[in-house]
Amino acid sequence: MIKVLCVGQDKGGVGKSLATRALAEAVPSAPIIEVDSTRRLLELEHRTSFFPMRAERSEIERTGGKAARAEFDDVINAIASATEPTIVDIGANTSKSLLSILADLAPDLAEGGIELGLLVIVTNEPGAIAEAPPLLTTAKAFDASFVLENRLRGPIDPATLKAIVGSRPVSVLPEFNLEDQAQQILQGAGLIAAELVDAKKLTELHGIALGARIRRDLTALRLGAMQAVRKPAEWLVSGA
Ligand SMILES: Nc1ncnc2c1ncn2[C@@H]1O[C@H](COP(=O)(O)OP(=O)(O)O)[C@@H](O)[C@H]1O
Ligand SMILES: [Mg+2]
């Protein structure tokens, strides 16, 4: 069986693409499917198939059930034809629709040798907290599901988190307060920036103190993100 791990949450800005980047580093052989209104995983372009989505949810809903469902046909075909463990980064406002179609198709995909997994990202925001349970319910048709609590907006109340997560494995990504320059490097090069960054050049540009902080920021975020996706990454390559 070939495993396909979807990274989902309808709320934007919660760390789906960051988790995808960490998974991409943890499983360097995995192709990536990016479903979004614009390409974001630029540094991973060489291993990413991009499927554009209309940015506006209302526009998708307005076109009605048939057209809205057909919107995902290409993505689903790409998932069905995976030949090695694959990561799917689902952009904002798209998870619920795409995952429910995948859940319906799970038996057909299984027949074709595809096993589905879901990683739901949840942050301490009402929208993200409200979206998580329906996604996890949908994913009951999947082979595995995982939850990542991204503390980007502070920790989630433990009882609330427990109600969302149930008995699933949950991992925590702490909030990182990055130097602006580290943030900029990250925007351009993704988590791989931690490896690519030229220490000498950073010191030349920013002095030794800030240069070292930038390097430390990038390394810490990369390590934190990779630790936070460890369980789903292990699932992705298990039995491979
Ligand atoms: N725990 C964190 N600490 C600091 N920055 C974070 C954290 N999680 C995510 N970010 C940053 O927040 C922004 C939004 O994350 P992103 O992965 O693009 O969200 P999504 O794909 O869900 O829209 C990115 O700039 C990302 O690097
Ligand atoms: Mg994203």
Side-chain angles (χ1 to χ4, degrees):
M1 296 290 273
I2 303 286
K3 294 191 163 76
V4 176
L5 178 68
C6 300
V7 182
Q9 165 63 265
D10 281 290
K11 178 97 184 59
V14 298
K16 292 181 293 291
S17 295
L18 182 67
T20 299
R21 291 181 151 113
L23 287 160
E25 289 216 37
V27 189
S29 61
I32 298 156
I33 292 175
E34 181 179 21
V35 187
D36 211 325
S37 49
T38 55
R39 270 184 187 274
R40 320 239 172 195
L41 304 170
L42 296 177
E43 83 285 4
L44 297 168
E45 207 172 8
H46 57 287
R47 47 193 280 212
T48 300
S49 310
F50 175 65
F51 295 87
M53 287 293 122
R54 274 168 285 177
E56 272 298 307
R57 186 78 232 149
S58 55
E59 173 65 19
I60 299 171
E61 303 297 352
R62 201 181 52 76
T63 57
K66 211 170 168 187
R69 284 202 307 273
E71 176 132 21
F72 296 119
D73 286 0
D74 291 344
V75 183
I76 289 161
N77 288 335
I79 289 172
S81 50
T83 54
E84 48 190 324
T86 299
I87 306 158
V88 188
D89 181 8
I90 310 176
N93 301 320
T94 307
S95 290
K96 217 181 300 165
S97 334
L98 177 55
L99 291 172
S100 67
I101 297 169
L102 282 174
D104 286 344
L105 287 174
D108 307 273
L109 289 166
E111 240 170 70
I114 303 290
E115 263 181 36
L116 294 169
L118 174 68
L119 170 60
V120 171
I121 316 287
V122 59
T123 53
N124 191 20
E125 296 165 280
I129 288 171
E131 296 291 352
L135 295 182
L136 289 165
T137 301
T138 300
K140 282 196 173 134
F142 286 23
D143 292 284
S145 55
F146 308 86
V147 176
L148 192 168
E149 179 198 7
N150 187 354
R151 293 193 171 163
L152 183 62
R153 314 260 177 257
I156 299 170
D157 164 63
T160 306
L161 185 64
K162 180 75 194 152
I164 295 172
V165 167
S167 61
R168 292 178 187 83
V170 57
S171 58
V172 173
L173 179 63
E175 182 189 1
F176 292 85
N177 277 307
L178 306 182
E179 294 288 346
D180 293 345
Q181 293 88 343
Q183 189 69 55
Q184 270 165 27
I185 295 171
L186 200 63
Q187 300 295 348
L191 285 180
I192 196 82
E195 269 201 351
L196 299 180
V197 94
D198 181 340
K200 237 186 182 160
K201 207 162 158 199
L202 270 186
T203 304
E204 266 169 40
L205 279 172
H206 304 291
I208 188 151
L210 177 56
R213 282 204 301 282
I214 295 171
R215 273 209 324 282
R216 223 175 296 134
D217 278 0
L218 293 172
T219 308
L221 176 63
R222 182 186 191 215
L223 178 63
M226 287 178 77
Q227 280 170 339
V229 300
R230 182 181 173 144
K231 284 226 162 69
E234 282 173 351
W235 174 82
L236 198 54
V237 297
S238 61

